[in-house]
Amino acid sequence: DGGITQSPKYLFRKEGQNVTLSCEQNLNHDAMYWYRQDPGQGLRLIYYSQIVNDFQKGDIAEGYSVSREKKESFPLTVTSAQKNPTAFYLCASRDRVAVNTEAFFGQGTRLTVV
Amino acid sequence: GDSVTQMEGPVTLSEEAFLTINCTYTATGYPSLFWYVQYPGEGLQLLLKATKADDKGSNKGFEATYRKETTSFHLEKGSVQVSDSAVYFCALSLRDGNNRLAFGKGNQVVVIP
C-alpha cells in the first residue's frame, strides 16, 4: 500500500542531544513537508522540499535541520539549539505538479525531552 | 500573508445534533481549500476539498462550500455521531508554485452519546 511512514512513533531526548525523525514515502511525490503540532496552535511548517537536493525553511525552522538526498526520504533533525522540542511532529507529502491535490500525512512522532 | 482562521474553542454537542465549524481565509490568489480530520494520536486525513468558487466538497455526511464572496469554507454535518469526535483543520493551498499548505488552529469536536 502507498503511504507515508514516520518512525519512531515515540521518541525521548535528553537535554543537549540531537535526534533524527524519519519520514519515508512511496507515493512518488516530489514535495515533502515537516510540521510541528502543539496544543492550541495547530500545525506550523518547519521545512519543506519540492525536489530532491532542495529544501526551504518554513515558519519555525530555527533549531531544526533537514536533508533530501532521495525522493522517498525527508528526515528531520531536532538539534540541541531547539529550546522547546517537546511536540508532535507530522510529515506530509504532496504531488508537486497537481497543486489541487491534498497532502498525505504520516502517523506522527511524539518527541519528549526528559 | 495567506492564512486560515477557524472559530475559537472546542465544540461539544450531543449525538444527532447539527455541527458547524467556521473557517475563513485570507489569500492573494485563488486557493484550493481543504478540511482535514485528526483522530487521537494519529496524523491528518483528508475529509473533503474544493478547488474553485462555489464548489461543494462532501464526504461521510460532511459538506463545505467554497464561498469566494465571503472568503469562507464552513464545515457542516447534519447529524453527528460519537465516532465524529476528533480535531478538524481547515487548510488552503495557493497556486503560486510554492506548494505550501496553510492550516487553521483546529477545532476539537466532542460528541456526547
Side-chain angles (χ1 to χ4, degrees):
Chain A
D1 288 333
I4 299 182
T5 302
Q6 289 186 242
S7 62
K9 188 172 178 66
Y10 300 96
L11 186 58
F12 297 90
R13 191 193 93 167
K14 293 183 179 179
E15 294 280 353
Q17 275 186 339
N18 292 354
V19 291
T20 297
L21 284 60
S22 170
C23 178
E24 302 278 334
Q25 56 100 358
N26 60 4
L27 299 167
N28 201 35
H29 287 165
D30 285 308
M32 296 187 74
Y33 310 80
W34 274 105
Y35 291 91
R36 171 178 171 144
Q37 185 177 19
D38 296 283
Q41 296 202 46
L43 274 67
R44 293 183 290 169
L45 183 63
I46 305 173
Y47 269 97
Y48 65 108
S49 168
Q50 297 198 66
I51 200 166
V52 174
N53 293 322
D54 187 43
F55 49 82
Q56 290 81 40
K57 293 182 179 180
D59 302 315
I60 56 165
E62 185 176 352
Y64 300 96
S65 66
V66 293
S67 63
R68 187 83 188 279
E69 297 176 2
K70 298 187 301 181
K71 187 175 185 178
E72 301 80 17
S73 179
F74 191 41
L76 173 74
T77 297
V78 184
T79 74
S80 57
Q82 172 49 240
K83 298 306 178 188
N84 185 23
T86 295
F88 191 53
Y89 291 87
L90 287 161
C91 179
S93 73
R94 190 165 177 228
D95 186 331
R96 184 168 71 97
V97 175
V99 296
N100 292 335
T101 60
E102 69 271 25
F104 291 80
F105 283 81
Q107 292 296 294
T109 292
R110 185 164 298 281
L111 173 62
T112 304
V113 174
V114 296
Chain B
D2 308 312
S3 64
V4 175
T5 302
Q6 291 183 231
M7 52 192 286
E8 293 287 331
V11 178
T12 302
L13 59 169
S14 299
E15 202 166 23
E16 298 184 1
F18 185 86
L19 170 68
T20 299
I21 304 176
N22 290 340
C23 170
T24 57
Y25 68 89
T26 301
T28 53
Y30 299 94
S32 294
L33 299 171
F34 306 85
W35 275 102
Y36 284 84
V37 59
Q38 183 180 34
Y39 298 101
E42 297 185 5
L44 277 66
Q45 304 172 27
L46 178 72
L47 182 58
L48 52 85
K49 69 178 183 182
T51 59
K52 61 183 187 296
D54 300 324
D55 266 2
K56 177 186 282 188
S58 61
N59 186 26
K60 299 181 181 179
F62 290 90
E63 292 184 341
T65 301
Y66 189 159
R67 302 286 188 199
K68 183 181 172 186
E69 62 276 13
T70 55
T71 61
S72 65
F73 192 54
H74 305 322
L75 182 68
E76 297 180 336
K77 186 175 185 182
S79 177
V80 294
Q81 305 300 314
V82 173
S83 57
D84 293 324
S85 298
V87 181
Y88 293 81
F89 292 93
C90 186
L92 68 79
S93 170
L94 289 183
R95 307 164 193 247
D96 62 357
N98 285 332
N99 243 337
R100 291 179 57 144
L101 285 169
F103 286 84
K105 293 189 175 183
N107 285 102
Q108 174 80 53
V109 172
V110 177
V111 180
I112 300 170

